[in-house]
C-alpha cells in the first residue's frame, strides 16, 4: 500500500473521509501520518484517537517558508511517506518543496478549477453567478490552485444559496471525491506525466461514478 501523509490546518473533515476510506482492506493507500501547521487544528485529536501519529509543526516557530518546509520534509522522510494529501492545508509552500513532491502531492479545492482559485471560493461563485459549482482534486504545482486535474464533482447553485449553504453542499461531495481520487493516484491509475494527468484505460468506468 502507498504510504500517505495528510496535511491539515483545521477541522479535518476531508482527512476523516480519507482515514475512513483507507480502512477498507482493498484500499490502495494507508494513512500513516497527519501533520498540521496549526497546533489548535481540530483534526489532530481525531487522527490521534484513530491511532495515526498526528503532530503539529507550528509554522510560526520557523523564520522562513523554506525552514518550515524543511521541517515538514524531515517528518515525511522519517516515516517513508510516498504521497502527500493536502486537506484544508492553508499554507503556501516554497517552490522547492512542491517540486520535490511533483506527481506525489495532491490537494482538494472547493471550486470547479480553473474557476475561483484562492480563498472565499463560494463568495466568488455567487458573485460570478454560475449555476454549477463544486470541488476539484488536483496535483500540486508551484502555481497556486493551478495543477493538473484528477477528479471533479459538481453541485447546483440554488436560488437563496449563501456561502455557507454552498460550502455545505460541496463538502458532501468533497468527502466522496477525495477518497476516490486518492485511490486512483495511490493505485497508480492516475499519474502526472509532464503537465497532464494520464489515466489507465479501465478508469473511465470509475470516473463516471464519481
Ligand atoms: C475544504 O472545503 C477544502 O476544500 C478547503 O478547505 C476546507 C477544509 O475543510 N480547502 C481549501 O480551501 C484549500 N485552499 P476540512 O478541514 O473539514 O477538510
Amino acid at each position: 500500500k502507498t504510504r500517505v501523509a495528510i496535511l491539515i490546518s483545521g477541522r479535518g473533515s476531508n482527512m476523516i473521509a480519507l482515514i475512513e476510506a483507507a480502512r477498507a482492506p482493498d484500499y490502495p493507500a494507508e494513512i500513516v501520518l497527519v501533520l498540521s501547521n496549526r497546533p489548535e487544528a481540530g483534526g489532530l485529536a481525531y487522527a490521534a484517537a484513530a491511532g495515526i501519529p498526528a503532530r503539529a509543526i507550528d509554522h510560526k516557530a520557523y523564520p522562513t517558508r523554506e525552514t518550515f518546509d524543511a521541517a515538514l520534509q524531515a517528518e515525511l522522510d522519517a516515516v517513508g511517506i510516498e504521497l502527500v494529501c493536502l486537506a484544508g492545508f492553508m499554507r503556501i509552500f516554497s517552490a522547492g518543496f512542491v517540486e520535490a513532491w511533483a506527481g506525489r502531492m495532491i490537494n482538494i479545492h472547493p471550486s470547479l478549477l480553473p474557476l475561483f482559485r484562492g480563498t472565499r471560493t463560494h463568495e466568488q461563485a455567487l458573485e460570478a453567478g454560475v449555476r454549477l459549482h463544486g470541488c476539484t482534486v488536483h496535483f500540486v504545482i508551484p502555481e497556486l490552485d493551478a495543477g493538473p486535474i484528477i477528479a471533479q464533482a459538481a453541485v447546483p447553485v440554488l436560488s437563496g444559496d449563501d456561502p455557507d449553504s454552498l460550502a455545505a453542499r460541496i463538502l458532501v461531495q468533497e468527502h466522496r471525491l477525495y477518497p476516490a481520487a486518492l485511490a486512483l493516484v495511490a493505485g497508480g491509475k492516475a499519474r502526472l506525466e509532464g503537465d497532464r494527468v494520464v489515466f489507465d484505460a479501465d478508469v473511465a468506468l470509475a470516473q463516471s461514478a464519481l
Side-chain angles (χ1 to χ4, degrees):
K1 291 193 180 209
T2 302
R3 293 172 65 77
V4 171
I6 304 175
L7 272 52
I8 64 171
S9 298
R11 74 190 154 179
S13 73
N14 278 290
M15 173 207 77
I16 292 170
L18 294 174
I19 289 171
E20 286 181 349
R23 288 205 181 103
D26 59 346
Y27 197 77
E30 55 179 333
I31 314 302
V32 297
L33 179 65
V34 171
L35 297 175
S36 170
N37 66 311
R38 293 203 185 112
E40 67 276 16
L44 285 173
Y46 179 97
I52 298 167
R55 270 189 289 286
I57 305 178
D58 189 348
H59 67 266
K60 294 195 202 80
Y62 295 85
T64 62
R65 221 172 265 296
E66 285 73 17
T67 51
F68 171 72
D69 290 355
L72 271 186
Q73 183 73 52
E75 294 277 344
L76 299 171
D77 288 345
V79 291
I81 296 301
E82 299 168 294
L83 185 62
V84 172
C85 289
L86 308 182
F89 187 74
M90 304 304 272
R91 181 129 188 106
I92 293 170
F93 296 117
S94 59
F97 183 85
V98 175
E99 274 149 18
W101 286 93
R104 301 184 302 138
M105 179 156 63
I106 65 179
N107 179 46
I108 189 156
H109 180 79
S111 80
L112 292 173
L113 290 172
L115 292 172
F116 315 137
R117 296 178 185 178
T119 58
R120 300 173 61 83
T121 57
H122 312 308
E123 285 88 343
Q124 291 188 58
L126 290 167
E127 174 66 24
V130 294
R131 305 322 302 166
L132 284 173
H133 187 30
C135 49
T136 301
V137 178
H138 63 91
F139 284 106
V140 177
I141 64 171
E143 190 182 347
L144 190 66
D145 300 331
I149 292 169
I150 301 159
Q152 295 184 299
V155 304
V157 179
L158 304 178
S159 64
D161 265 334
D162 60 20
D164 288 343
S165 63
L166 261 183
R169 191 174 306 124
I170 289 171
L171 197 62
V172 173
Q173 297 306 316
E174 292 188 43
H175 296 164
R176 290 175 353 105
L177 190 71
Y178 209 175
L182 172 58
L184 288 179
V185 176
K189 291 176 175 297
R191 305 173 294 280
L192 185 65
E193 291 186 7
D195 58 4
R196 307 287 299 178
V197 182
V198 174
F199 297 93
D200 274 5
D202 66 338
V203 167
L205 194 61
Q207 283 173 319
S208 69
L210 283 180

